[in-house]
Amino acid sequence: MEFIFDAINSRIKAMRDYSSLAQLKANKDQQLQTDEEYRRVVNNVNAFAKALHYAKHNLGFDYSADAKNAMLKLFNDLVAVREGGLANRDLLRSANTDFSHIQRTIKKEWSSSYKTIAAARNTLLAIKDLDPNRIQTYLNDIDAAKEWTGSIASLEKLKNALANAELMIGDLNMDQEIVAFLTKVTGGEARVSDLNDNVLNWINERDLGSRIKVSFAG
Amino acid sequence: MDSSIARERIASVIKPDSITASQGDFLATHVPIKRLELPAKFEHSPRKTKGHSESAIYKKFVLNPDDKHQFVAVYGQSGTGKSHLIRWFEAKYQNDKPENEVVLFIRRSDNTLKGTIRQLLAAPEVEQIANRDIFERLSKAVVCEEESKLKGRIYYDFVNEVGNDEGDQDISITNVMRKKLVAFLLNEKVMEHLKEPDGPFERIYSKIAENTSVDRDTIAEFTPEDFLVSQDLYDQMVDSADQKASKLARALMADDALQEDAAKIASYLNQFVDDVIQRCAGIEPGDFRDIFQDIRKELFKLDKKLTLFIEDVTSFTGVDNALLDALIVEHSGMNESENLCRISSFVGTTSNYLERHFRDNHKDRITQYVYIPSDIFDEEGKYEFVGRYLNTMSLPQENIDSWVKNHAHAADYPVHTSKEGENWDYVTIEHGKKLCLYPFTRQSILNLYSLALKSGHETPRYIIRDIIEPAVNNILSDKASFPSFFDFTPPIDVKLDYRIGEQVKDKAESARLLRFLTVWGDGTPYQETRDGINYLCSIREDILQELGFPKVSLLPGSSTKPASGAKAQDGTQGTQANAGQNAAVNNPTAKGKRATDDAIAKVNKAIGKLGEWTDGQKIDVSATVGTSGVLRAAQEDICTFVRTSIDWQAEGVSQDNIDKIKASSTKFVTFENPTRQLAAGFVVLPAERRSAYLISAFIRWREFGECSWNYEGSDFDAFLATSWISATKKDFVAAVNDTLDRGISYIQPAIAAEIYYQIMKGQYTGKTLNGFTAKNLFAPNTSETKENGHSSAWKALVSFMEQKGRHETNQDTARQYFNITQGAGGSVVVLNEPALRRALEAARKYKLSLPTSSEEAKDRVTARNKAYEYYEDIDSRIDRAVEEERHLAESLMEKIDRRLFGETDEERYEIEEDDLLDFAALVKSLYDEANTSQLSIQYYNANVIKNNAKKYASAIEATRDALEEEDVRAALMAFSSDPIASIRPFAEALEKIESDLNKIDNELQRKMNALGDIDALVDTTSRYGSQIVLLRECFNLIADEVQ
């Protein structure tokens, strides 16, 4: 019975399209507003997609498959919004709602992935005193991307800050034991007992003894 | 009887008219008449008194002791013996008359005017008359004239009289009518008609000329019947007739005018009869008056007186009034100066002639009327009359002459010596003389008198002509066939008939014996022995042996009637005529009422016809009246008897079958060899004696018992009927078998037709016949005539089935055939369920079809045949009804399928309820949207589809199944539930939806056009071009991401 169903459906759609056109004609401003909204939403989605794409490829952000599918559906729905010839406000609102939902999802997933993505931040904090101005700059850029904004600029700063931090840390030739020590120092938790040979050698080699303070435990 | 003498003498002795017999034979055969009446004035049939003997009248009037003028009219019906009496008076008077009395005797001779004139001329008294002119004229009148010439003269003389009538007759007609009558009489065909042997001119001619064949008592006159114009006569004459003749002929054809006009013409013409006869005879009207005046004058001169005997006054036809004028003139008183002698006249005439042709002045002058009643003889008189004739013909002429010569004294009356019939009946006459009645018995004389003589013929003339002469001739010429001289059928005692029939196989001999025992004997079925002599039907057995009858044995017993056939011991042994009484036999055990004479006569007549039937003649049962009606009623009564006597149900015959036979023209019983060949009955009674017994029994049952067995002798009839039905019951049971004509019982087509009906009406909607049970057969009919979805051929066939109550009739047949009435009253009826079940099984087994051989014949019982015809009418239309139903279903399904499935290859056969529910929802959306879009589309309530989804789905499935049925009857049953009625509204809904879709298209197109330039609004490429690109980019960015 697909035949008759198709036949009827096509008429229903045609009637609806007609209704839209008729309504469009009757309320042109409203349509223009819808058009504008449509463009805005599409642009936002596009920017969002690009950011996601950037984050995935440049920051290693592995968002979920559900999120991907929801994105693809959204794209389709946005295509469908104007399939009657003019953007349908209702469909658009529906698509926009879906988009908001996707954004919230991605935010959560970004937030979950951020520590991993921004793992160098703690090291920077540990060695902050080594070059406070510079490292603070890096930290600012990294911290600015802590919340997902969908801004590629923010992501690029993050990417650059992380890259520079990597270079800096690489130059300090620190192993994990050194990083752990420095981290404790930064947290005020370092003990004299932590000063083993490897740590003392690394401090002495760089003449950092005067810049590291070990206090009494409370 | 002495046959050797009788053979010679019979011709001369047996002369019906006394005047032609010899004087000796006349006296020897004369039987004194004892019942003469002497009315004071003319009466056609005077009241009976104790009567007067001929001797008393002779003494008082013929001997005329007071010597006065007399004019005595002797009258009576034809053949009663007027001539005989007058002749006896004359003969006796010749011996007793005074010396101065002249006796003139005008015999009837051949009863013509010429014969009479010839007699007169021969009389010495006439030869001596003074008036020679009259004598000459009379002499010329007797000259023979050629018959045709004389007849022509008579005819044209009448025409001439009419043509020249100046209206001075007593009866006149208008001039116009007179001219028409002349033209009519002159028409050649009318002339031929009126001159025919039984026509008026032959009658008139017969009174003038001699040697004609017309009855001597015929009156020369016209009768109304002579002028009745038949269609044949009119057709013959119309070509040659002039207008006047045609007009009169037409008037004489009209029924209402018939009697009046014809009677008037007859009366009018009768006025001319005397004149015409006189003119044609060449005599003057006054001649006869004058001649008798002259005779009387001559005798007066001689001091003599005249006694005139005229045997029959009609001998003077044409001049009779003139003659009477002469006879009424008295010799004394005012006529004394005429010098006429005293005249004493004895004139014989029939009652009719005296009444109509004697003028009133003549009747007034008749001094004495002597009336001879028709039945002049009492019982003994009849025996004596016959005995005297038989005796006379057995005596040599010389013996008679010698007796006459010696004054014919009764004491000397010669009696012959019997050479035949010594043991037969005798009659004792005067002086103890015994005359043998051979070949008659006393009983036979009475019976023959009652049966052989027609009404009005109970007179001596006919006793001689119709009884004595033929009987004697019969016994003399062919004793072996005696009695075969009469053609009436005597009343037959059925027991006697039956017994003879059982013992004498020769049909002719059996009939002869029955005839003899019935007419000569007492006709009862009994025999007895008295004084060592065996009597059968009261007839001595040796008489039967003498006549060569086969020996038979009858029932022991006797008639209550005195025996006949026994030699008379005392000469007075009498019998009662058993004519008409034989049926009421004297069976000591017989009970019941006695039949009336009318009923007996009616029955006898019918039984006579049965006799003719068994002799090979056809039997007439076509009328409802007369003898044919009696026989027809008997046939019906036998049919009813058969129908009601056999316990058909006990014999396995359906009462419905019997009822149908009762209502049909095919009878249970018909008679073989009918005059009109109707449909033969189930049993045809052969034209043989046994059948006649049976039929006669039923005739008596109706006529004597008035449709009961309550009449004398009914016990035997009842025995005949019951023994017959007992013997033939199996024949009837076999004959009414309703499978004989068509090879199958009519119940089969009746049931098949009923099943057809129920299927077509949708009362039975099973897919196979297996579900059709007795319950279905007796289910009440649906009274509705609701609209259905069937094809017109289907509806037409249903209507056809119901036409003229045919279905009701057939249904009654199907339902009642298996009824079994309980008890004699018949109020409780049960169903012969096993038989019904078998019939239903047969219908199922043969799928409502009948063997083609059943169409080759016709059931003789119309009502049964109607069951076959009803079935055949239906069966021959079933194919067409199914075919049209298929076409209709196909057409609807095609529409449904095409609309639901399009022209695709999609599987079309699965439409389920859910599909239709979805469809209904979609349709609702469609119309809602159309409504929303404000299209001019009539809203369709899709709830109809929703609510009927199950029904539609089911009907579509049923229709598909029906269309897949290749067998017509299977398809018929598949369509019985009328799925079309259900799919039609669905198809119509689809049609509307389809139509509305098109309307939507058109409407949208129209509306879109009305929107004007909407390209800009809908140009998505330019309007949303960048968004399209962006979205495409989105797809590109995200779609290929690996997660």
Side-chain angles (χ1 to χ4, degrees):
Chain A
M1 289 175 67
E2 285 177 19
F3 175 80
I4 189 72
F5 278 82
D6 289 349
I8 294 174
N9 276 324
S10 70
R11 266 51 168 220
I12 291 172
K13 181 176 177 302
M15 286 188 285
R16 285 176 179 165
D17 290 348
Y18 160 74
S19 296
S20 297
L21 287 173
Q23 197 165 1
L24 177 65
K25 191 170 183 181
N27 194 352
K28 192 175 179 181
D29 293 343
Q30 188 182 352
Q31 185 60 47
L32 289 174
Q33 193 178 350
T34 305
D35 284 354
E36 188 56 32
E37 178 69 12
Y38 182 60
R39 285 189 199 100
R40 187 185 62 76
V41 172
V42 170
N43 288 341
N44 289 343
V45 168
N46 182 262
F48 185 81
K50 282 178 178 172
L52 206 56
H53 182 76
Y54 185 87
K56 166 101 179 161
H57 289 282
N58 294 289
L59 296 169
F61 177 43
D62 284 329
Y63 56 89
S64 66
D66 287 343
K68 178 189 175 184
N69 290 336
M71 286 292 286
L72 291 175
K73 179 178 179 297
L74 176 63
F75 301 154
N76 281 326
D77 289 344
L78 287 170
V79 170
V81 164
R82 47 90 194 161
E83 274 184 351
L86 293 172
N88 184 295
R89 194 173 60 172
D90 294 338
L91 293 179
L92 179 59
R93 283 178 180 167
S94 172
N96 202 25
T97 304
D98 291 345
F99 180 43
S100 298
H101 182 68
I102 291 169
Q103 284 178 306
R104 284 194 295 276
T105 302
I106 290 298
K107 265 187 180 175
K108 285 179 185 172
E109 291 185 4
W110 176 259
S111 184
S112 300
S113 303
Y114 180 76
K115 277 186 180 174
T116 306
I117 292 169
R121 183 177 178 270
N122 288 334
T123 305
L124 286 176
L125 286 174
I127 62 170
K128 188 177 175 184
D129 291 337
L130 295 180
D131 188 354
N133 293 331
R134 192 176 152 198
I135 290 176
Q136 187 59 50
T137 302
Y138 294 158
L139 285 174
N140 288 342
D141 287 345
I142 290 170
D143 288 341
K146 187 179 182 181
E147 295 291 327
W148 177 267
T149 61
S151 165
I152 285 185
S154 176
L155 292 175
E156 281 175 345
K157 282 180 181 174
L158 174 62
K159 181 192 169 192
N160 291 334
L162 288 175
N164 290 330
E166 285 292 329
L167 286 174
M168 183 184 280
I169 291 168
D171 288 344
L172 290 177
N173 194 22
M174 291 185 288
D175 58 17
Q176 287 301 315
E177 193 175 23
I178 300 300
V179 172
F181 173 75
L182 290 177
T183 301
K184 286 181 179 177
V185 171
T186 302
E189 295 173 348
R191 300 291 184 262
V192 174
S193 55
D194 293 327
L195 294 171
N196 59 23
D197 291 340
N198 184 33
V199 172
L200 286 174
N201 286 336
W202 184 79
I203 293 170
N204 292 329
E205 282 175 9
R206 283 162 181 83
D207 194 18
L208 295 173
S210 60
R211 299 182 67 176
I212 298 171
K213 182 179 64 181
V214 179
S215 65
F216 286 98
Chain B
M1 172 175 277
D2 186 338
S3 60
S4 59
I5 297 171
R7 277 198 179 84
E8 300 292 327
R9 293 268 291 141
I10 181 170
S12 57
V13 174
I14 301 294
K15 294 287 184 185
D17 289 305
S18 59
I19 206 69
T20 53
S22 79
Q23 186 73 355
D25 291 343
F26 168 73
L27 292 173
T29 54
H30 176 71
V31 177
I33 304 172
K34 300 168 184 171
R35 294 180 176 179
L36 297 168
E37 301 292 343
L38 297 175
K41 60 179 183 178
F42 173 73
E43 292 175 64
H44 195 280
S45 301
R47 188 167 48 84
K48 272 191 177 178
T49 65
K50 61 179 182 180
H52 301 267
S53 72
E54 61 183 25
S55 305
I57 290 171
Y58 175 78
K59 285 175 188 163
K60 185 173 181 183
F61 298 107
V62 182
L63 288 181
N64 194 9
D66 298 334
D67 192 27
K68 59 184 182 185
H69 168 85
Q70 290 186 130
F71 180 20
V72 178
V74 178
Y75 74 102
Q77 296 302 316
S78 177
T80 48
K82 303 179 294 293
S83 301
H84 196 97
L85 181 63
I86 289 173
R87 185 173 181 184
W88 184 80
F89 284 155
E90 188 272 339
K92 196 163 175 60
Y93 193 55
Q94 287 289 6
N95 288 330
D96 300 338
K97 69 181 178 70
E99 220 170 89
N100 65 340
E101 192 75 25
V102 172
V103 175
L104 188 55
F105 181 34
I106 308 296
R107 296 180 300 171
R108 180 152 67 171
S109 185
D110 55 9
N111 210 20
T112 68
L113 183 59
K114 288 192 179 188
T116 303
I117 295 171
R118 191 173 286 115
Q119 285 184 61
L120 274 175
L121 292 175
E125 292 77 7
V126 176
E127 285 178 355
Q128 294 163 12
I129 62 172
N131 193 335
R132 299 315 295 173
D133 288 345
I134 295 172
F135 190 85
E136 290 300 322
R137 278 203 295 278
L138 291 178
S139 299
K140 283 180 186 173
V142 298
V143 173
C144 283
E145 187 173 359
E146 195 182 332
E147 181 176 336
S148 62
K149 200 171 167 183
L150 179 55
K151 283 181 180 172
R153 280 211 298 134
I154 295 169
Y155 195 94
Y156 287 107
D157 228 80
F158 273 102
V159 178
N160 198 35
E161 287 285 354
V162 176
N164 294 297
D165 177 24
E166 293 179 349
D168 51 0
Q169 299 289 331
D170 292 342
I171 301 170
S172 62
I173 56 177
T174 63
N175 273 342
V176 175
M177 183 64 162
R178 203 163 48 77
K179 285 175 184 171
K180 283 184 188 171
L181 183 57
V182 170
F184 180 75
L185 292 172
L186 286 174
N187 181 275
E188 186 186 358
K189 296 297 176 187
V190 172
M191 203 179 294
E192 284 175 12
H193 169 66
L194 294 175
K195 283 184 177 177
E196 281 173 356
D198 56 350
F201 286 92
E202 187 66 35
R203 294 198 289 272
I204 293 166
Y205 169 79
S206 73
K207 290 297 177 187
I208 299 174
E210 298 153 295
N211 303 321
T212 71
S213 58
V214 176
D215 188 333
R216 288 167 189 174
D217 284 335
T218 299
I219 300 174
E221 63 179 5
F222 294 93
T223 64
E225 289 75 22
D226 296 332
F227 296 98
L228 305 185
V229 175
S230 65
Q231 185 65 49
D232 281 350
L233 175 60
Y234 181 78
D235 291 344
Q236 288 171 22
M237 65 173 283
V238 73
D239 291 338
S240 58
D242 69 19
Q243 280 190 342
K244 295 190 195 79
S246 294
K247 278 184 181 174
L248 181 57
R250 271 200 301 277
L252 291 169
M253 284 176 74
D255 287 343
D256 49 350
L258 197 68
Q259 294 300 328
E260 197 180 333
D261 287 349
K264 185 155 192 182
I265 291 172
S267 302
Y268 175 72
L269 289 175
N270 280 335
Q271 297 176 122
F272 305 113
V273 170
D274 283 0
D275 288 348
V276 170
I277 288 177
Q278 287 164 17
R279 194 175 303 116
C280 292
I283 55 179
E284 296 292 330
D287 282 354
F288 273 77
R289 188 188 63 237
D290 294 346
I291 201 166
F292 277 100
Q293 295 282 53
D294 282 359
I295 291 169
R296 290 178 70 181
K297 283 177 182 172
E298 287 300 318
L299 294 177
F300 180 80
K301 286 179 194 167
L302 298 172
D303 196 23
K304 292 193 173 177
K305 295 162 185 174
L306 177 61
T307 297
L308 179 64
F309 295 98
I310 297 176
E311 240 187 39
D312 187 349
V313 75
T314 60
S315 308
F316 292 85
T317 294
V319 295
D320 49 348
N321 281 312
L323 170 67
L324 296 175
D325 284 344
L327 302 186
I328 62 175
V329 177
E330 294 191 26
H331 61 286
S332 55
M334 58 185 292
N335 300 320
E336 198 162 357
S337 59
E338 296 273 331
N339 294 328
L340 300 171
C341 75
R342 191 272 290 142
I343 183 166
S344 175
S345 317
F346 297 85
V347 177
T349 176
T350 61
S351 303
N352 286 341
Y353 195 86
L354 173 55
E355 183 176 26
R356 282 149 52 186
H357 288 262
F358 274 43
R359 291 177 188 161
D360 287 343
N361 66 321
H362 291 150
K363 287 178 188 165
D364 293 343
R365 305 286 282 277
I366 289 172
T367 53
Q368 183 59 55
Y369 288 96
V370 176
Y371 175 71
I372 307 180
S374 295
D375 190 7
I376 56 170
F377 297 126
D378 58 13
E379 201 172 293
E380 284 300 313
K382 292 183 185 101
Y383 302 147
E384 182 176 347
F385 185 81
V386 174
R388 279 180 181 269
Y389 269 90
L390 294 170
N391 180 56
T392 304
M393 70 177 70
S394 291
L395 286 167
Q397 180 72 50
E398 310 85 79
N399 292 20
I400 300 294
D401 291 345
S402 169
W403 173 63
V404 172
K405 196 173 177 180
N406 293 315
H407 303 289
H409 294 304
D412 302 332
Y413 184 73
V415 176
H416 76 283
T417 305
S418 296
K419 289 191 176 173
E420 291 92 6
E422 188 183 359
N423 294 329
W424 289 55
D425 281 357
Y426 284 76
V427 59
T428 304
I429 62 171
E430 288 177 281
H431 302 285
K433 292 179 182 288
K434 291 177 181 174
L435 306 179
C436 178
L437 292 176
Y438 176 90
F440 297 96
T441 59
R442 288 167 173 260
Q443 187 73 67
S444 69
I445 290 170
L446 298 181
N447 285 344
L448 290 167
Y449 186 84
S450 302
L451 299 168
L453 302 180
K454 294 177 187 168
S455 176
H457 282 192
E458 299 90 347
T459 60
R461 179 189 298 173
Y462 294 103
I463 294 174
I464 298 165
R465 195 189 78 176
D466 295 342
I467 297 175
I468 300 173
E469 183 180 13
V472 172
N473 277 329
N474 188 186
I475 198 80
L476 290 178
S477 62
D478 186 11
K479 189 192 277 189
S481 74
F482 188 83
S484 62
F485 62 90
F486 56 85
D487 57 5
F488 65 86
T489 303
I492 301 297
D493 181 280
V494 66
K495 290 183 191 172
L496 176 64
D497 187 9
Y498 188 79
R499 288 198 70 82
I500 293 173
E502 290 298 296
Q503 295 174 67
V504 182
K505 295 304 173 193
D506 183 294
K507 207 170 169 183
E509 274 302 274
S510 168
R512 184 170 83 98
L513 177 58
L514 178 65
R515 201 159 58 230
F516 187 78
L517 293 177
T518 301
V519 179
W520 266 250
D522 60 22
T524 65
Y526 303 110
Q527 66 176 39
E528 64 176 335
T529 303
R530 293 196 304 270
D531 301 332
I533 298 169
N534 199 23
Y535 292 84
L536 285 82
C537 293
S538 306
I539 297 176
R540 289 173 62 118
E541 192 169 22
D542 52 6
I543 289 180
L544 301 176
Q545 290 166 357
E546 181 184 334
L547 291 174
F549 284 114
K551 191 171 174 60
V552 292
S553 139
L554 302 182
L555 297 168
S558 69
S559 162
T560 57
K561 285 177 266 182
S564 176
K567 188 171 181 177
Q569 298 299 313
D570 56 4
T572 59
Q573 182 181 16
T575 63
Q576 300 293 319
N578 73 344
Q581 298 295 324
N582 287 16
V585 292
N586 297 284
N587 182 340
T589 63
K591 290 177 181 173
K593 61 186 174 186
R594 182 177 291 270
T596 64
D597 287 347
D598 286 347
I600 291 167
K602 200 171 176 182
V603 169
N604 288 341
K605 212 168 172 183
I607 291 175
K609 286 292 175 190
L610 289 175
E612 294 171 4
W613 177 55
T614 57
D615 286 342
Q617 292 188 34
K618 288 181 180 297
I619 189 164
D620 182 6
V621 290
S622 61
T624 54
V625 295
T627 303
S628 172
V630 172
L631 295 169
R632 184 192 180 96
Q635 185 175 271
E636 292 297 332
D637 291 339
I638 294 172
C639 291
T640 305
F641 178 70
V642 169
R643 183 170 55 77
T644 55
S645 299
I646 297 175
D647 184 352
W648 298 101
Q649 291 181 167
E651 300 296 332
V653 179
S654 166
Q655 187 60 40
D656 182 71
N657 185 7
I658 299 306
D659 292 343
K660 281 182 165 48
I661 292 170
K662 180 189 175 189
S664 85
S665 59
T666 304
K667 301 182 181 309
F668 280 103
V669 175
T670 54
F671 302 157
E672 185 189 27
N673 198 19
T675 51
R676 229 170 60 185
Q677 190 59 51
L678 300 171
F682 286 102
V683 167
V684 177
L685 286 183
E688 59 187 36
R689 184 186 293 271
R690 280 171 183 263
S691 304
Y693 295 148
L694 178 75
I695 298 166
S696 64
F698 279 93
I699 292 172
R700 286 185 289 275
W701 175 82
R702 173 172 285 273
E703 302 298 339
F704 291 173
E706 295 173 342
C707 299
S708 77
W709 295 115
N710 179 24
Y711 58 91
E712 285 185 350
S714 65
D715 53 345
F716 187 69
D717 286 344
F719 162 74
L720 279 177
T722 51
S723 59
W724 172 75
I725 196 69
S726 174
T728 54
K729 181 171 74 176
K730 64 179 186 311
D731 297 334
F732 281 105
V733 170
V736 301
N737 183 337
D738 55 0
T739 66
L740 286 182
D741 295 337
R742 293 259 198 167
I744 55 168
S745 166
Y746 69 89
I747 189 58
Q748 289 195 35
I751 284 186
E754 175 59 16
I755 295 174
Y756 268 143
Y757 179 81
Q758 293 203 15
I759 291 172
M760 298 216 61
K761 284 285 280 185
Q763 290 174 205
Y764 177 70
T765 55
K767 300 296 179 198
T768 68
L769 291 172
N770 293 336
F772 195 95
T773 64
K775 196 175 174 186
N776 296 93
L777 185 64
F778 290 95
N781 293 328
T782 52
S783 58
E784 88 340 308
T785 52
K786 72 175 181 187
E787 201 58 37
N788 62 56
H790 291 297
S791 63
S792 54
W794 185 292
K795 290 177 187 170
L797 181 50
V798 171
S799 172
F800 176 78
M801 290 163 122
E802 293 173 337
Q803 272 177 13
K804 299 175 184 173
R806 291 178 85 188
H807 169 249
E808 283 84 349
T809 303
N810 187 72
Q811 191 177 55
D812 287 347
T813 296
R815 289 179 174 180
Q816 292 172 10
Y817 186 87
F818 299 101
N819 282 354
I820 298 176
T821 307
Q822 298 294 292
S827 60
V828 178
V829 176
V830 297
L831 186 67
N832 185 353
E833 204 272 340
L836 171 58
R837 200 171 57 238
R838 283 196 296 276
L840 289 174
E841 279 169 6
R844 287 193 288 264
K845 181 178 178 184
Y846 298 108
K847 296 178 179 174
L848 305 182
S849 64
L850 301 181
T852 51
S853 57
S854 69
E855 298 168 13
E856 293 163 6
K858 189 175 178 182
D859 196 309
R860 73 187 80 179
V861 178
T862 309
R864 294 196 321 210
N865 199 54
K866 279 183 178 173
Y868 299 96
E869 289 177 345
Y870 184 58
Y871 168 83
E872 286 158 6
D873 283 346
I874 295 168
D875 193 56
S876 64
R877 290 166 170 80
I878 285 291
D879 283 3
R880 188 170 166 220
V882 170
E883 189 183 355
E884 276 206 24
E885 195 80 354
R886 272 184 170 145
H887 283 157
L888 179 60
E890 279 172 352
S891 163
L892 289 169
M893 283 310 300
E894 199 280 328
K895 286 177 183 173
I896 291 170
D897 285 342
R898 185 171 53 75
R899 286 169 179 141
L900 292 181
F901 304 104
E903 303 297 337
T904 67
D905 293 331
E906 186 182 350
E907 177 57 59
R908 296 181 164 197
Y909 295 146
E910 292 175 7
I911 299 175
E912 296 180 351
E913 183 183 1
D914 288 347
D915 296 331
L916 295 180
L917 289 172
D918 290 346
F919 178 66
L922 188 59
V923 169
K924 183 173 186 307
S925 298
L926 177 71
Y927 284 92
D928 287 346
E929 192 60 49
N931 193 34
T932 304
S933 301
Q934 298 183 339
L935 301 189
S936 305
I937 304 297
Q938 186 185 4
Y939 191 85
Y940 172 75
N941 184 0
N943 282 339
V944 173
I945 298 173
K946 181 182 170 187
N947 296 339
N948 290 295
K950 188 173 184 179
K951 187 168 84 172
Y952 291 164
S954 170
I956 288 168
E957 185 184 2
T959 306
R960 290 201 200 288
D961 290 347
L963 288 172
E964 282 182 355
E965 292 290 357
E966 292 180 0
D967 179 72
V968 170
R969 287 172 183 81
L972 183 79
M973 284 186 280
F975 282 119
S976 173
S977 59
D978 195 15
I980 291 174
S982 298
I983 65 170
R984 190 196 297 276
F986 183 59
E988 289 168 354
L990 289 178
E991 188 175 3
K992 173 174 171 51
I993 292 166
E994 183 185 55
S995 169
D996 287 346
L997 290 178
N998 291 331
K999 283 182 185 172
I1000 287 168
D1001 288 345
N1002 295 333
E1003 189 85 352
L1004 281 179
Q1005 185 61 48
R1006 188 176 60 77
K1007 284 182 174 284
M1008 289 296 281
N1009 290 340
L1011 284 177
D1013 182 15
I1014 57 167
D1015 286 348
L1017 291 172
V1018 298
D1019 184 0
T1020 53
T1021 307
S1022 59
R1023 194 178 187 91
Y1024 305 112
S1026 59
Q1027 282 71 39
I1028 293 169
V1029 172
L1030 288 174
L1031 286 172
R1032 195 174 297 133
E1033 187 182 21
C1034 289
F1035 272 110
N1036 292 337
L1037 288 171
I1038 301 301
D1040 296 333
E1041 296 283 14
V1042 177
Q1043 307 301 315

